[in-house]
Amino acid sequence: MKKKIINPFICQGYESPEFFCGREEETKTVMSTLYNGRNITLISPRRLGKTGLIWNVFHKIKSENKDAICIYIDIFPTKNQHELVNMLGSAVLSDALSKGRTLGKRMLDVFGALRPVVGIDSITGMPNVTVNIDPAQSEMSLKGILTQLNRLGKEVFVAIDEFQQIAYYPETGTEALLRSHIQFMRNIHFIFSGSKQHMMSEMFLSPQRPFYQSTDILSLGPLDEETYYLFAKGFFEARGGGLDECVFHELYTLFDGYTWYVQSVLNRLYEGYKRVDAMEQLRDTVMSVTAGKAPQYESLTQFLSANQFALLKAIAKEGVAKELTGKAFLGKYRLMGASSVKAALETLLDKELVYRLNDGYIVYDRFMDLWLKRL
């Protein structure tokens, strides 16, 4: 049965192209790159829609080729190579089971050495598989998984999200290991996606790294404002309401076009109002969301030192902070010396509370940014 969508402004997961805004050119670019035998890397900060784009690409690929196998894994929670291989193996087997008994049984037989355990996902109700690979066999298991996928005689598309995580693994050769296997897998096409721009650029553009110039690179920016407005307005008008263009512009500008934050506010505006035509409606909604997150932010910042918290507030109030150790910035926000700011910044970057752009630093969570501005 087709799922009934109550609120068209989806904040989690992917439903269908109907609820996915824009990215037509990006979708075409990714699909054309993969179809023509090249791998691709997507780079952008979080909350800009990389994952949604990947699922939109997969949806279109499967609509054109029902036999295509599309595997998505987010490796952000993994801490080592062993966990990566376990996650990939589980995703491959779960996808095979979802495609029917024949392929599922075939893959379970092939990957019997991975010690698969079949269960039912408590949320989706779909069959899933978890594997528990011996850490000592991780390298051979990774090669085995990719080799078997390559031999299926089907087009296979694998997306590895937050790919920069492998740079933190204790095993120093994971990048080289992956690259050595991937370059021989003619039937498997890869999407590498990451949110740490400088690290991803280093991994794929530095001559010293195994993945140097091995993929096309696509950097995502915010959605086009007019495209996003027409998309959003259509849902309000479909139920006899409306969305004022000036109000939407204020919303888009407030969050610099970062999709997830704009989408979150649109979701609540759609929930609360049939017609949105006043700035007060937007401000009340944004304040409500921010206030709801305040306990979470208070708890999080309790673990910061006084210097770290002071720098975080300063970056929020500055908007895009540039010369953090310059006399002007230090004096304006009454911060400690340059060395203290450098140490505090390193911690904030490590905790991903602050994100580095080409032109400066911002608070990563834009709702937290608004909360800090009000302190």
Side-chain angles (χ1 to χ4, degrees), residues 46 98 181 207 230:
R46 288 183 193 165
S98 71
H181 295 326
L230 294 175

Side-chain angles (χ1 to χ4, degrees), residues 26-259:
E26 293 92 334
T27 299
K28 290 178 183 178
T29 296
V30 174
M31 292 180 67
S32 178
T33 301
L34 298 174
Y35 283 167
N36 283 280
R38 304 190 307 277
N39 298 324
I40 192 165
T41 298
L42 307 179
I43 303 176
S44 81
R46 288 183 193 165
R47 310 301 197 185
L48 265 179
K50 294 188 303 300
T51 303
L53 174 60
I54 291 171
W55 283 110
N56 194 54
V57 167
F58 279 179
H59 183 279
K60 291 187 177 294
I61 286 174
K62 288 187 282 189
S63 69
E64 296 177 1
N65 179 6
K66 66 178 182 179
D67 291 327
I69 295 175
C70 297
I71 307 294
Y72 169 87
I73 57 173
D74 179 354
I75 66 170
F76 181 72
T78 63
K79 304 300 183 201
N80 51 53
Q81 182 178 291
H82 172 234
E83 292 181 4
L84 164 67
V85 178
N86 270 348
M87 180 178 285
L88 178 61
S90 298
V92 168
L93 290 173
S94 293
D95 183 81
L97 279 181
S98 71
K99 285 182 165 49
R101 182 176 300 177
T102 302
L103 181 59
K105 185 177 185 305
R106 177 183 172 187
M107 294 296 282
L108 284 172
D109 290 342
V110 169
F111 291 127
L114 304 184
R115 293 181 285 172
V117 177
V118 182
I120 300 295
D121 190 296
S122 59
I123 298 176
T124 65
M126 297 293 291
N128 66 1
V129 181
T130 57
V131 298
N132 186 17
I133 298 166
D134 184 342
Q137 298 298 316
S138 292
E139 291 192 17
M140 290 303 299
S141 297
L142 177 61
K143 180 180 179 180
I145 292 170
L146 295 176
T147 299
Q148 293 302 330
L149 280 176
N150 196 50
R151 290 175 178 172
L152 284 177
K154 302 176 184 292
E155 292 297 305
V156 180
F157 302 86
V158 177
I160 306 179
D161 209 349
E162 299 300 342
F163 186 69
Q164 74 277 340
Q165 186 65 21
I166 68 173
Y168 296 104
Y169 291 173
E171 302 90 355
T172 56
T174 304
E175 284 182 59
L177 178 67
L178 274 171
R179 178 74 179 98
S180 66
H181 295 326
I182 286 171
Q183 62 183 330
F184 298 112
M185 304 297 168
R186 301 305 178 194
N187 295 324
I188 309 179
H189 316 284
F190 289 87
I191 302 173
F192 304 103
S193 175
S195 59
K196 292 192 174 181
Q197 183 173 351
H198 296 276
M199 186 173 291
M200 289 291 289
S201 296
E202 172 73 15
M203 293 174 75
F204 288 91
L205 298 177
S206 171
Q208 285 76 43
R209 304 296 281 267
F211 278 93
Y212 172 60
Q213 292 189 348
S214 63
T215 74
D216 286 13
I217 306 289
L218 179 60
S219 297
L220 294 187
L223 284 170
D224 175 73
E225 182 177 348
E226 182 179 1
T227 300
Y228 204 169
Y229 171 63
L230 294 175
F231 169 83
K233 182 179 72 165
F235 289 118
F236 281 92
E237 291 181 342
R239 62 174 186 178
L243 174 62
D244 182 80
E245 187 171 1
C246 291
V247 174
F248 180 83
H249 174 72
E250 182 73 13
L251 169 60
Y252 184 93
T253 303
L254 182 64
F255 294 108
D256 297 319
Y258 276 56
T259 311

Side-chain angles (χ1 to χ4, degrees), residues 269-341:
L269 287 171
Y270 188 88
E271 176 186 15
Y273 304 101
K274 184 175 182 179
R275 181 175 297 277
V276 178
D277 53 13
M279 291 297 180
E280 289 75 11
Q281 294 171 305
L282 172 61
R283 291 167 186 151
D284 289 347
T285 301
V286 171
M287 287 305 302
S288 175
V289 176
T290 306
K293 294 178 177 292
Q296 168 191 336
Y297 297 147
E298 290 170 359
S299 176
L300 184 62
T301 54
Q302 283 179 357
F303 295 96
L304 300 178
S305 70
N307 287 342
Q308 293 161 4
F309 189 44
L311 178 59
L312 185 64
K313 286 193 295 181
I315 293 172
K317 293 179 185 296
E318 190 74 2
V320 179
K322 298 179 180 180
E323 298 179 3
L324 302 191
T325 57
K327 289 184 178 180
F329 185 81
L330 295 174
K332 182 177 180 179
Y333 296 105
R334 299 180 181 178
L335 298 172
M336 300 287 285
S339 59
S340 296
V341 167

